[in-house]
Amino acid sequence: IAQKGRDEITHGGISSLFFSVYHSRQVGKAFSTVFYRQKQHRGKSTSSYWEYKIKRYIADHIRRIVSLEDLAAAMGKTPNYLNNVFSEATGIGIHQYMNREKMRLITALMEDRGLTFRDACENVGITDLSHGYRLFKRHMGVTPKQYITAERMHLQEQGRD
């Protein structure tokens, strides 16, 4: 560590940077991440600030059904305003983003935890299995069964190398 870095670690044995990391590990990632992001977004565009807040809310509530109206009420803005700001920042709408994140989580649950498609859908708040199936095929380009089969084949090939 450079001398300046050593000097920063004097007050109470933990600099503010190290406190942030320590706090994140001990108390929970959400608070320190939000604090850091708020500091990081000062002076940046409004759309990137709202993009972060919306993504954070969706991540925190992904396991239940979240409507645009719920999101807007939690943020104190109108649904149209949030969707426009988010679309401007990301190129996709909030609803599309939520579906994409749900599909990402479903694939992770099926791969890492070995859950069935039905159980993975229930874990992300999709109660209509046919709707979940259509979403999966639209976002992933294959059916859930085809995806898992391809994933298993890929893992087997990695094991042979």
Side-chain angles (χ1 to χ4, degrees):
I1 301 176
Q3 182 61 37
K4 184 177 184 219
R6 285 188 199 127
D7 292 341
E8 288 177 0
I9 307 175
T10 56
H11 185 63
I14 302 174
S15 73
S16 61
L17 173 65
F18 290 109
F19 175 76
S20 178
V21 171
Y22 173 79
H23 183 73
S24 170
R25 289 184 180 152
Q26 297 301 320
V27 177
K29 210 172 185 181
F31 175 76
S32 59
T33 302
V34 169
F35 180 71
Y36 173 75
R37 291 292 185 174
Q38 285 174 343
K39 285 174 49 178
Q40 187 180 24
H41 284 292
R42 288 186 186 135
K44 290 194 175 183
S45 71
T46 304
S47 63
S48 62
Y49 172 75
W50 284 109
E51 174 192 358
Y52 169 76
K53 291 210 33 137
I54 292 165
K55 285 181 176 181
R56 185 81 235 164
Y57 184 88
I58 291 169
D60 290 343
H61 298 88
I62 194 80
R63 296 188 185 277
R64 68 177 190 86
I65 300 169
V66 179
S67 69
L68 190 53
E69 289 74 21
D70 293 340
L71 178 65
M75 305 278 168
K77 299 288 182 184
T78 66
N80 285 340
Y81 174 80
L82 289 180
N83 203 38
N84 288 338
V85 169
F86 190 83
S87 296
E88 178 184 304
T90 64
I92 61 172
I94 292 173
H95 190 70
Q96 290 172 305
Y97 176 78
M98 280 192 287
N99 286 336
R100 187 179 74 192
E101 288 303 295
K102 286 183 179 197
M103 292 306 109
R104 186 187 57 76
L105 188 55
I106 284 172
T107 58
L109 289 170
M110 290 189 314
E111 290 171 15
D112 300 339
R113 297 205 179 146
L115 292 182
T116 64
F117 180 69
R118 175 186 305 270
D119 292 339
C121 282
E122 288 173 2
N123 272 288
V124 298
I126 297 176
T127 55
D128 181 4
L129 195 59
S130 61
H131 174 68
Y133 187 85
R134 284 190 308 274
L135 277 177
F136 191 91
K137 184 151 182 170
R138 185 179 317 134
H139 285 272
M140 305 306 292
V142 294
T143 66
K145 185 174 183 174
Q146 291 170 330
Y147 181 85
I148 290 300
T149 303
E151 182 64 24
R152 286 184 186 142
M153 288 175 55
H154 176 71
L155 290 174
Q156 287 174 351
E157 288 173 3
Q158 283 183 338
R160 289 182 193 153
D161 293 341

